[in-house]
Amino acid sequence: MRGMSDDHTHVQDFFTARAADWDHRFPDDGPAYAAAVAALGLRKGDRVLDAGCGTGRALPPLRAAVGPTGVVVGADLTAAMLRAAARAGRDRDGTLLLTDVAALPLRSSSLDAVFAAGLIAHLPDPAGNLREIARVVRPGGVLALFHPIGRAALAARQDRTITPDDLRAEPNLRSLLTRSGWRMTSYTDEDTRFLALAVPAD
Ligand SMILES: C[S@@+](CC[C@H](N)C(=O)[O-])C[C@H]1O[C@@H](n2cnc3c(N)ncnc32)[C@H](O)[C@@H]1O
């Protein structure tokens, strides 16, 4: 696979160990994913990528939003997560691609939107990878960076404290997006959801 590195081996080991159990750990997240997908404002026939799709929890609402004429692609680095997605039947809602978001096998400006849940904290080169994601989105398209719980709730779950250099703190994320070809248009960090939306910079 293109773009492999030691960082990726660590990510793959981490998620391979969790793949079989992933959906059982968070059984009540469905409505939060559906609401976040709604924020993308997709239309029937649109083309959308779920970057770091994991077990494909977002694929059913993404398919519902774009309809049968749309295109839904789920991309992930960890084969075990994609196998779990297929076992759950989510390959019926989107095409599953085993790939690193650092080098997407997609044409430039070919997508209307990208959804990325729980992804950016795992990227070894967030700016470079967000730039690659920007490459595949058309002008006027949209990016959603989502997590079903907010930063404080996630830190508490993981028994850690948030530091000012946290990648997803509002000023840090705004700056990161600006450096990688995006303009952040909204930012929400509440206990029940984290959602940042961005559009390709002019
Ligand atoms: C926290 S999980 C979230 C999975 C899914 N989006 C969800 O919300 O349930 C992060 C996922 O990102 C994937 N991932 C991490 N780095 C990646 C990369 N560079 N390219 C593609 N996928 C990556 C992992 O394999 C894992 O499945």
Side-chain angles (χ1 to χ4, degrees):
M1 193 192 320
R2 291 187 290 170
M4 278 295 297
S5 71
D6 288 349
D7 295 314
H8 291 142
T9 305
H10 173 75
V11 166
Q12 288 167 316
D13 288 349
F14 182 86
F15 286 107
T16 296
R18 287 160 180 77
D21 200 32
W22 190 256
D23 288 4
H24 306 298
R25 291 173 69 196
F26 312 109
D28 303 323
D29 284 349
Y33 277 75
V37 166
L40 283 173
L42 291 165
R43 290 173 300 193
K44 300 299 179 200
D46 275 356
R47 299 168 168 254
V48 61
L49 167 69
D50 183 359
C53 67
T55 57
R57 293 192 290 169
L59 298 181
L62 288 170
R63 171 57 66 192
V66 302
T69 61
V71 172
V72 178
V73 176
D76 205 284
L77 190 66
T78 306
M81 292 295 263
L82 293 180
R83 282 196 297 271
R87 273 198 304 276
R90 300 205 175 113
D91 52 347
R92 287 194 296 270
D93 290 312
T95 302
L96 303 179
L97 280 185
L98 179 62
T99 188
D100 185 347
V101 298
L104 290 164
L106 299 171
R107 288 196 314 278
S108 298
S109 304
S110 59
L111 300 178
D112 299 290
V114 174
F115 184 81
L119 175 69
I120 64 166
H122 299 286
L123 299 176
D125 174 17
N129 297 166
L130 284 167
R131 208 170 297 120
E132 169 65 355
I133 290 171
R135 179 186 68 76
V136 300
V137 175
R138 67 166 172 80
V142 59
L143 168 69
L145 301 176
F146 170 67
H147 200 287
I149 59 175
R151 290 189 308 133
L154 183 64
R157 180 193 281 172
Q158 297 174 340
D159 201 19
R160 60 177 172 82
T161 49
I162 303 175
T163 58
D165 63 352
D166 181 57
L167 191 68
R168 293 189 296 134
E170 184 168 4
N172 300 344
L173 187 59
R174 184 181 300 281
S175 158
L176 171 65
L177 285 164
T178 301
R179 283 183 279 122
S180 47
W182 296 96
R183 180 169 56 81
M184 192 162 86
T185 54
S186 82
Y187 180 93
T188 307
D189 182 18
E190 299 163 345
D191 272 358
T192 52
R193 87 161 161 181
F194 177 90
L195 182 66
L197 298 176
V199 296
D202 300 328

